[in-house]
Amino acid sequence: MPGPMPELPEVETVRRGLEPVLGGALIVRTEVRRPDLRWPFPERLAERLTGARVNALRRRSKYILADLDTDETLLIHLGMSGRMTVSVPDTGPLIPGVFVRGHPPQEKHDHVVLHTDGGGRITFNDARRFGAMDLFPTACSHPLLDVLGVEPLGNAFDGPMLIAAFKGRNTPVKAALLDQRIVAGLGNIYVCESLWRTGIHPACRTGRIGRARVESLVAAIRAVLSEAIDVGGSSLRDHRQTSGDIGYFQHSLAAYDRENQPCKAPGCSGTIKRILQSGRSSFFCPICQR
DNA sequence: CTTGGGTCCTGTGCGC
DNA sequence: TGCGCACAGGACCCAA
């Protein structure tokens, strides 16, 4: 079973989970328990967050962006293992299904904790520390965001756009879809699922995929991401996950991490295979995907 | 310019 | 049952 691997849908689920407790809230205390995650924290992180009010919670690709009334924006990346636990005191108001009532005990790898004026608590836990936090002027761009391509659920992501991006390239389609400069937010899981749905072999070179198949790939990517966000939302409502992992969508996976299991395509007798591309696993059906 | 591989990090799961 | 090791992977970084 795959561990938590936050890609765009999981990050969007986290953003929605934060909204009721952190959105509009005043940060009254900030605990920073270590000097860094993937990179050193920005200077005086705790001091710059404490006393700030959260005006808006946005998402760009796999980044969560909290706009503060100090004209700074808090950037959060969950990396591989980052989780956000959202809790309120057990004496506090109950907002059904959205967060934990009663603060859980501190755990190993709880690196940053935000306390809100409503008694809420946002705990960032990241065992592998591939995650990141930064603070930058809201009016400015950020080097991590500048290089990102289109949002796969946005209007700019369509057939002609992806056809143009694929044209002239000669990389495996798997690598192209993982390239955040083209489409921003896809990771290994949803790339595997999208290619399986479209019947495209992950090693297929981008230049060799016909226009109609690229169009259907766009539709598959949008569909698989939307479905995963829907499942994430329902899991929030049903108390089933602290936000940040793939949660119950893993039961819907047709290709990812299903090596040697039967292909789920109707009437297909194939078996899911695993190959390594750039040291990463790709899962696919050799009968469906060409 | 593009492209591919190394690196970071720790928990998990497997084989012996 | 314990130990060691491969593996997971997002994004930076550098070499070719």
Side-chain angles (χ1 to χ4, degrees):
Chain A
M1 179 181 294
M5 299 170 197
E7 299 182 29
L8 187 154
E10 291 73 40
V11 175
E12 176 61 21
T13 299
V14 170
R15 191 197 67 77
R16 294 179 186 187
L18 292 174
E19 196 83 63
V21 170
L22 193 58
L26 185 70
I27 299 169
V28 296
R29 189 157 76 93
T30 307
E31 298 175 64
V32 179
R33 300 213 172 102
R34 56 171 302 123
D36 56 7
L37 290 173
R38 181 184 169 96
W39 300 292
F41 285 125
E43 292 294 316
R44 299 174 50 252
L45 174 64
E47 291 85 348
R48 287 157 76 184
L49 290 176
T50 302
R53 190 172 291 281
V54 178
N55 282 336
L57 285 163
R58 297 181 289 133
R59 180 192 56 75
R60 171 75 168 106
S61 182
K62 303 171 193 172
Y63 296 94
I64 291 169
L65 301 169
D67 295 326
L68 310 176
D69 67 355
T70 53
D71 296 327
E72 291 197 297
T73 292
L74 173 65
L75 174 150
I76 302 168
H77 196 287
L78 300 175
M80 255 297 291
S81 55
R83 297 164 180 271
M84 291 282 196
T85 301
V86 181
S87 57
V88 293
D90 52 13
T91 55
L94 179 65
I95 301 180
V98 177
F99 45 79
V100 179
R101 201 152 173 267
H103 296 305
Q106 181 178 329
E107 287 184 37
K108 195 177 178 184
H109 309 302
D110 282 352
H111 301 313
V112 177
V113 185
L114 305 179
H115 300 260
T116 73
D117 53 344
R121 193 179 292 183
I122 313 294
T123 303
F124 184 95
N125 180 292
D126 185 8
R128 265 163 271 190
R129 300 212 314 277
F130 278 26
M133 275 195 196
D134 202 4
L135 208 44
F136 67 103
T138 304
C140 295
S141 63
H142 190 285
L144 290 170
L145 306 178
D146 286 343
V147 296
L148 295 177
V150 301
E151 281 289 319
L153 293 176
N155 292 332
F157 182 58
D158 58 15
M161 177 266 148
L162 197 60
I163 289 166
F166 279 5
K167 185 163 283 185
R169 282 186 159 251
N170 204 28
T171 63
V173 63
K174 168 83 184 293
L177 292 178
L178 286 176
D179 187 340
Q180 304 296 298
R181 295 168 300 183
I182 301 175
V183 187
L186 300 178
N188 202 23
I189 294 173
Y190 296 108
V191 167
C192 286
E193 293 303 300
S194 301
L195 291 173
W196 178 83
R197 290 190 184 200
T198 320
I200 300 174
H201 193 292
C204 188
R205 302 274 159 168
T206 53
R208 293 178 181 270
I209 308 172
R211 302 172 69 91
R213 304 189 79 201
V214 179
E215 296 267 6
S216 69
L217 178 58
V218 167
I221 289 170
R222 298 182 82 106
V224 74
L225 294 178
S226 298
E227 290 167 26
I229 289 173
D230 288 346
V231 172
S234 60
S235 70
L236 277 183
R237 277 192 301 277
D238 297 347
H239 300 257
R240 284 192 298 207
Q241 70 174 29
T242 60
S243 42
D245 65 54
I246 188 170
Y248 273 62
F249 192 71
Q250 66 192 352
H251 299 304
S252 309
L253 297 177
Y256 183 82
D257 204 33
R258 296 196 63 246
E259 185 181 16
N260 295 330
Q261 295 178 50
C263 178
K264 290 185 177 180
C268 181
S269 59
T271 301
I272 300 296
K273 297 298 173 203
R274 180 173 75 100
I275 57 171
L276 282 182
Q277 295 181 281
S278 303
R280 301 286 188 248
S281 289
S282 291
F283 300 89
F284 69 102
C285 171
I287 292 181
C288 291
Q289 294 174 254
R290 304 260 164 201

